[in-house]
Amino acid sequence: MAVYTEVSDEALRAFLAEYELGELRAYRGIAEGVENSNYALQTGAGDFILTLYEKRVDPAELPYFLGLMQHLAARGLACPQPVAARDGQALRRLAGRPAAICTFLPGVWPRRVRPEHCAPLGEALARLHAAGADFPGRRPNALGPAGWAPLLDRCRAQGDAVQPGLIAQLDAALAGLLAAWPAAGALPEGQIHADLFPDNVFFLEGPGGQPQVSGLIDFYFACTDLLAYDLAVCLNAWCFEPDGAYNVTKARALIGAYHRQRPLSAAERAALPVLCRGAALRFLLTRLYDWTTTPPGALVTRKDPLEYLRKLRFFSTASGPEALGG
Amino acid sequence: MAVYTEVSDEALRAFLAEYELGELRAYRGIAEGVENSNYALQTGAGDFILTLYEKRVDPAELPYFLGLMQHLAARGLACPQPVAARDGQALRRLAGRPAAICTFLPGVWPRRVRPEHCAPLGEALARLHAAGADFPGRRPNALGPAGWAPLLDRCRAQGDAVQPGLIAQLDAALAGLLAAWPAAGALPEGQIHADLFPDNVFFLEGPGGQPQVSGLIDFYFACTDLLAYDLAVCLNAWCFEPDGAYNVTKARALIGAYHRQRPLSAAERAALPVLCRGAALRFLLTRLYDWTTTPPGALVTRKDPLEYLRKLRFFSTASGPEALGG
């Protein structure tokens, strides 16, 4: 839940005057997305989303993110398309911050994931990977294996206050993961979303009430990494029930639909358990860091890091990819 | 900044199925309004606002608020119009809370008030009062003079922590105000908005770039009280600069435009200073109460109560209505 930056209406009008979008009809802050300030913008040309990039986004990385969205949208993927101003530039400045206008996507993200969401999700993820295949940009995954040890170090002093013994467990899990992680070049790489949680996937009802993906949003963790790691993020984010149980029906639908669109190699399939452990550790560490640095009751809702400790344990004890629905 | 209640997409679809609004296309939480959860809703029939009423709104009062909006909209005032479902009812339940869908209003609220906003505001306020004249409902102002002493009592224990001596100052101000307050029947009464701050007034650019009011929103403090008190609320909310100075140009534009649309009586004009003091005390007390009961950094942004102590002082020293632009 955000909107950190208030934009004066004069500044907004001056900003909009640089575009061919007609006159301003409405703008309202959107209470979703925790990293940036998002506004629903209505102009003579239709509905758009205005994003002001706040301090957690490195301005130097915005050309990669916006370029990737532009590239994916040009290849037919339903994702926000950056809108260029008259001078051809989509990345601009507003209220002292980097800012961009993107197209509005219809749809509703699922507050409660049903198995019927998972096959369309898997197919959309595979389409994203295919659409990104010829994108020339490259961004290392700052929250990939090389980033986990420094992140854990930043949680070291306060982590055990969340749960006694937590840091020792994480040290052990990290050592095991780094030893088991696929070697460079062993698995296909490409542009991945890396944060495809339910609130980043919009659905509309198709024929017979079946959910269909109408859009993928929030590419601000996108990076160049193992394609199958994106699937592992989705298994973490979509396939656990509120009581912590892994829903293998959802996982089979997700992996199956992905595989039909982009067949997983035997090596990718075999690596799924370790990739899932890695994804669980990644979200555990960022949540733990946020938990230990965000005061209780702050504007940003803290998410429970221990949810991902349970997921990490589950994936650590999985007998193989079959147990994960792979 | 709100959105307290998450609505599952199944519950929302079932709710929408009771209306003739076509299919759900999008809904996004809006980060504005602190009392209720608001969603921007897009359906086959267009844009709407879905509001879930949270605990600060008394469900027994909702028929008054929604009925007033219906009445004002029917008389041509640009305000949210509650949308009835197939059974004729606009007030329904969703996710365990009272809920209603209202029409969407275009426009942008002024983040920085300019003098050009004030005449259109004054005219719109007078039109609101005229449109409400034949509304049969009645709601006493819970935050009017009779409510101030109990509210001050609830701040008594902690108020001086905000500023030493504050409670004694407020006791004196309250006693003076109650003694000077217009007697019942002395001034015209009617339906008032009672909270017409800049974020509740939308503007669009008219010919020559002149701001024109496109809508008034958030009628959840509306009540039956002195019409001129609504003007006093606006003088408090619109006519002070960020440095605390009273901008008499803005005030003259506001009062003048109101007066052209609904002439103020001599008694109303004479009462403006005391009504302005009352409005300042009302916002001071609710802010003080929220300040002393809301933890720092909570989801709801605390507003500085002392801003209204300065306004109260200003109005207390005003030589007469002329000094206020009246």
Side-chain angles (χ1 to χ4, degrees):
Chain A
M1 181 175 310
V3 180
Y4 297 99
T5 302
E6 268 299 0
V7 181
S8 80
D9 33 326
E10 296 100 310
L12 180 64
R13 277 177 220 280
F15 179 78
L16 271 181
E18 298 171 24
Y19 291 82
E20 293 280 3
L21 291 176
E23 62 177 11
L24 177 61
R25 290 196 68 237
Y27 82 121
R28 314 275 150 93
I30 298 180
E32 296 175 9
V34 293
E35 304 293 331
N36 300 312
S37 302
N38 289 301
Y39 291 87
L41 185 70
Q42 209 173 78
T43 78
D47 287 316
F48 300 90
I49 301 290
L50 166 65
T51 301
L52 275 73
Y53 300 99
E54 303 293 345
K55 61 177 187 290
R56 279 175 80 148
V57 173
D58 177 356
E61 300 193 312
L62 286 168
Y64 169 85
F65 300 136
L66 295 178
L68 177 61
M69 288 189 274
Q70 193 75 63
H71 180 97
L72 296 173
R75 270 147 193 75
L77 194 83
C79 71
Q81 182 161 15
V83 176
R86 287 201 188 85
D87 65 0
Q89 296 300 311
L91 177 56
R92 315 191 72 78
R93 289 190 72 82
L94 177 57
R97 285 169 178 71
I101 292 175
C102 288
T103 52
F104 174 89
L105 294 174
V108 178
W109 62 265
R111 272 63 179 176
R112 184 161 36 201
V113 174
R114 289 177 284 130
E116 303 91 276
H117 291 113
C118 295
L121 167 69
E123 185 184 330
L125 183 67
R127 287 188 188 280
L128 187 164
H129 291 167
D134 59 343
F135 180 66
R138 190 172 171 83
R139 177 180 178 256
N141 188 356
L143 297 172
W148 297 336
L151 196 50
L152 178 51
D153 280 340
R154 290 161 78 186
C155 303
R156 197 165 291 282
Q158 295 184 277
D160 282 354
V162 174
Q163 181 170 295
L166 179 60
I167 294 298
Q169 278 182 73
L170 296 183
D171 277 331
L174 176 57
L177 258 170
L178 294 179
W181 201 251
L187 300 182
E189 282 195 5
Q191 312 304 338
I192 70 170
H193 186 285
D195 191 40
L196 205 54
F197 276 64
D199 57 344
N200 288 333
V201 184
F202 292 158
F203 290 86
L204 285 173
E205 281 192 350
Q210 278 296 105
Q212 297 186 327
V213 172
S214 59
L216 308 178
I217 65 163
D218 203 347
F219 283 75
Y220 302 105
F221 287 100
C223 54
T224 315
D225 202 347
L226 306 178
L227 297 177
Y229 178 71
D230 232 2
L231 193 54
V233 169
C234 289
L235 291 169
N236 271 274
W238 292 74
C239 298
F240 287 87
E241 299 303 307
D243 67 1
Y246 188 73
N247 185 325
V248 79
T249 304
K250 291 178 177 171
R252 280 198 195 109
L254 171 55
I255 299 172
Y258 183 92
H259 183 68
R260 280 190 294 280
Q261 192 68 29
R262 188 188 81 81
L264 292 162
S265 69
E268 284 181 300
R269 187 169 167 275
L272 273 182
V274 68
L275 297 177
C276 284
R277 283 159 55 199
L281 183 67
R282 172 255 183 268
F283 290 104
L284 200 171
L285 288 174
T286 50
R287 286 188 174 195
L288 182 61
Y289 178 73
D290 288 345
W291 194 270
T292 55
T293 54
T294 309
L299 202 62
V300 174
T301 309
R302 304 192 303 175
K303 293 175 181 164
D304 182 9
L306 299 179
E307 178 190 337
Y308 277 85
L309 183 63
R310 293 186 287 271
K311 292 180 180 180
L312 178 60
R313 281 200 194 119
F314 169 79
F315 289 122
S316 303
T317 57
S319 55
E322 307 74 25
L324 306 184
Chain B
M1 182 175 309
V3 180
Y4 298 99
T5 301
E6 266 299 0
V7 181
S8 79
D9 34 326
E10 297 101 309
L12 180 63
R13 277 177 219 278
F15 179 79
L16 271 181
E18 297 171 26
Y19 291 81
E20 294 281 3
L21 291 176
E23 62 177 13
L24 176 61
R25 289 196 69 236
Y27 82 121
R28 314 275 152 93
I30 299 181
E32 293 176 11
V34 294
E35 304 293 330
N36 300 311
S37 303
N38 289 302
Y39 291 88
L41 184 69
Q42 209 174 79
T43 78
D47 287 318
F48 301 90
I49 301 289
L50 165 66
T51 301
L52 276 73
Y53 300 99
E54 303 293 345
K55 61 177 188 293
R56 279 174 81 147
V57 173
D58 177 356
E61 300 194 313
L62 286 168
Y64 169 86
F65 299 134
L66 294 178
L68 178 60
M69 286 189 275
Q70 192 76 62
H71 180 97
L72 296 172
R75 269 148 193 74
L77 194 83
C79 70
Q81 182 161 17
V83 176
R86 288 202 187 83
D87 65 1
Q89 297 299 311
L91 178 55
R92 317 191 71 79
R93 288 190 73 81
L94 177 59
R97 283 169 178 71
I101 292 175
C102 288
T103 51
F104 174 89
L105 295 173
V108 177
W109 64 264
R111 272 63 180 177
R112 181 160 37 198
V113 173
R114 288 177 284 131
E116 304 91 275
H117 291 113
C118 294
L121 168 70
E123 184 184 329
L125 183 67
R127 286 188 189 279
L128 186 165
H129 292 167
D134 59 343
F135 180 66
R138 191 174 169 80
R139 177 179 178 258
N141 187 356
L143 298 173
W148 297 336
L151 196 50
L152 179 50
D153 281 340
R154 291 162 77 187
C155 303
R156 198 165 289 281
Q158 295 185 274
D160 281 354
V162 174
Q163 181 170 295
L166 179 61
I167 294 298
Q169 278 183 74
L170 296 182
D171 277 330
L174 176 57
L177 258 171
L178 294 178
W181 201 251
L187 299 182
E189 283 194 4
Q191 313 303 339
I192 69 170
H193 185 285
D195 192 41
L196 206 54
F197 276 62
D199 55 345
N200 289 332
V201 183
F202 291 158
F203 290 85
L204 285 174
E205 280 192 351
Q210 277 297 104
Q212 297 186 328
V213 172
S214 59
L216 308 178
I217 65 162
D218 202 347
F219 283 75
Y220 302 106
F221 288 99
C223 54
T224 316
D225 204 344
L226 307 178
L227 297 177
Y229 178 70
D230 233 3
L231 194 54
V233 169
C234 289
L235 291 169
N236 272 274
W238 292 74
C239 298
F240 286 89
E241 298 304 307
D243 67 0
Y246 187 73
N247 185 324
V248 80
T249 304
K250 291 178 177 174
R252 280 198 194 108
L254 171 55
I255 299 172
Y258 183 92
H259 184 68
R260 279 190 293 281
Q261 191 70 28
R262 187 188 82 79
L264 292 162
S265 71
E268 283 181 299
R269 187 171 167 274
L272 273 182
V274 68
L275 297 177
C276 285
R277 283 158 55 200
L281 183 67
R282 171 257 182 270
F283 291 103
L284 201 172
L285 289 174
T286 50
R287 286 188 175 195
L288 182 60
Y289 178 74
D290 289 344
W291 194 270
T292 55
T293 55
T294 308
L299 201 61
V300 174
T301 309
R302 303 191 304 174
K303 293 174 181 165
D304 181 9
L306 299 179
E307 177 189 337
Y308 277 84
L309 182 64
R310 293 186 287 272
K311 293 180 180 181
L312 177 60
R313 283 203 192 117
F314 170 78
F315 289 122
S316 304
T317 56
S319 55
E322 306 74 26
L324 307 184

